[in-house]
Amino acid sequence: MSTTATPSWSVIICSIDAGKYAHIVQSYERLLAGRRFEIIGIHDARSLAEAYNRGIARARGDSLVFSHDDILILDDGFAGKIEQHLAKGFDLIGFAGAKAVSDGYWWSAGPAQQYGAVGHAPPGLPQLSLHVYGIDDVAISPAQVIDGLCMVAARRAVDTLQFDAETFDHFHLYDLDYSFSLHQRGLRVGVVHDIPLLHMSVGSFGAHWQEHRQRFVRKHAAALGRVADAPLPEPLKLRARVALFDDAQSLRRFWTHANLLRAGLAMRRMQR
């Protein structure tokens, strides 16, 4: 699906669920209305890294969105805000991440290093939950790594580096590896706080995730200050300040910078 003119936005979505795919396509069509865009669906992926590289090969836009199919962006100003952040010199933008990392998960360096805010709507639960991990006084914070639920890259980023589909050949750690690799090359990675987003999942941290965590540590051992083949400790628990809401409209109304900043400060005080 694409506009007829050369697009300024390319949205790449990996999905095997027709219903989820139709819903997320409709969402991006609304968010990007009035802009030139294309939507690239990958429905037979061997891994997310492999799928996203195929999407990059087809993409014509200057801004590339790598999106899960189970999110809902609640801000009609999404495109304008992302364009402003990219214009400030950021090369890769996400919604949660960390300014330092020591292991194969983005919150590994502890609560003081975490950034972001994400709403969650796991299936079967009666309420939505807003998780605030850490907020700065600005709308976007520099980071070393970001979570992959939705990432937006400037064309200069994907021209510099593609995803490592050989090492990360499943559906985990492609995001940390890509963002950390760009950071190590001197490109600017950031976490936005000014765009409300819902994720209809809580993630999966089973055997495949553990294997790819080890692969991440082996690949980046020198930068992490680790011994590549040393046994990995139990992961640190992800810390967040959590608030519950009955519906998306209520969560959206609460999502102001002042409220998020207060929640982030409260979360960090709890960890002292």
Side-chain angles (χ1 to χ4, degrees):
M1 180 182 302
S2 67
T3 56
T4 54
T6 301
S8 57
W9 286 76
S10 297
V11 181
I12 304 168
I13 304 166
C14 179
S15 178
I16 59 171
D17 185 309
K20 288 182 179 179
Y21 182 72
H23 188 265
I24 194 66
V25 165
Q26 185 180 50
S27 176
Y28 280 114
E29 288 176 339
R30 174 179 55 81
L31 293 169
L32 297 173
R35 288 171 167 81
R36 302 187 313 276
F37 68 91
E38 62 184 354
I39 297 179
I40 300 169
I42 307 293
H43 307 293
D44 57 349
R46 295 187 292 276
S47 70
L48 272 172
E50 180 270 336
Y52 285 159
N53 283 343
R54 268 197 282 160
I56 290 170
R58 292 167 53 185
R60 299 174 294 157
D62 294 320
S63 302
L64 288 80
V65 181
F66 302 97
S67 178
H68 287 194
D69 65 359
D70 59 351
I71 65 169
L72 179 62
I73 296 169
L74 302 175
D75 190 342
D76 287 343
F78 162 79
K81 289 179 179 179
I82 292 294
E83 288 166 351
Q84 290 174 10
H85 296 319
L86 292 175
K88 295 173 185 174
F90 283 92
D91 301 290
L92 181 69
I93 295 170
F95 289 79
K99 63 181 180 181
V101 65
S102 60
D103 202 325
Y105 49 102
W106 59 261
W107 61 95
S108 61
Q113 310 298 330
Q114 298 170 192
Y115 283 113
V118 177
H120 290 275
L125 294 185
Q127 291 180 299
L128 311 179
S129 59
L130 171 59
H131 295 229
V132 180
Y133 306 110
I135 302 295
D136 273 340
D137 288 330
V138 293
I140 184 168
S141 300
Q144 292 187 4
V145 293
I146 59 174
D147 188 277
L149 78 165
C150 181
M151 305 185 294
V152 185
R155 168 60 63 176
R156 57 185 173 269
V158 299
D159 286 347
T160 299
L161 181 71
Q162 293 197 359
F163 291 84
D164 182 357
E166 181 176 350
T167 304
F168 302 97
D169 56 1
H170 200 256
F171 295 87
H172 302 290
L173 275 293
Y174 65 93
D175 46 359
L176 262 69
D177 174 67
Y178 190 66
S179 52
F180 195 48
S181 296
L182 286 177
H183 165 73
Q184 290 177 291
R185 285 164 171 77
L187 278 74
R188 296 185 70 198
V189 179
V191 174
V192 294
H193 317 304
D194 59 345
I195 301 174
L197 174 145
L198 273 175
H199 190 204
M200 285 65 165
S201 172
V202 293
S204 174
F205 303 97
H208 284 298
W209 179 81
Q210 290 285 7
E211 166 60 25
H212 284 69
R213 174 191 174 197
Q214 181 68 73
R215 294 183 188 185
F216 177 87
V217 170
R218 285 198 296 264
K219 177 176 177 178
H220 298 289
L224 297 173
R226 300 284 297 269
V227 177
D229 295 318
L232 293 178
E234 286 297 313
L236 295 175
K237 185 177 180 180
L238 176 58
R239 305 291 184 179
R241 187 74 169 177
V242 180
L244 299 178
F245 299 89
D246 291 330
D247 53 54
Q249 291 74 23
S250 299
L251 185 149
R252 176 68 183 89
R253 286 193 296 271
F254 179 84
W255 199 301
T256 66
H257 188 75
N259 286 340
L260 295 181
L261 187 59
R262 281 193 291 269
L265 291 173
M267 188 274 292
R268 286 182 175 156
R269 281 198 299 268
M270 291 169 56
Q271 308 308 318
R272 291 175 183 170

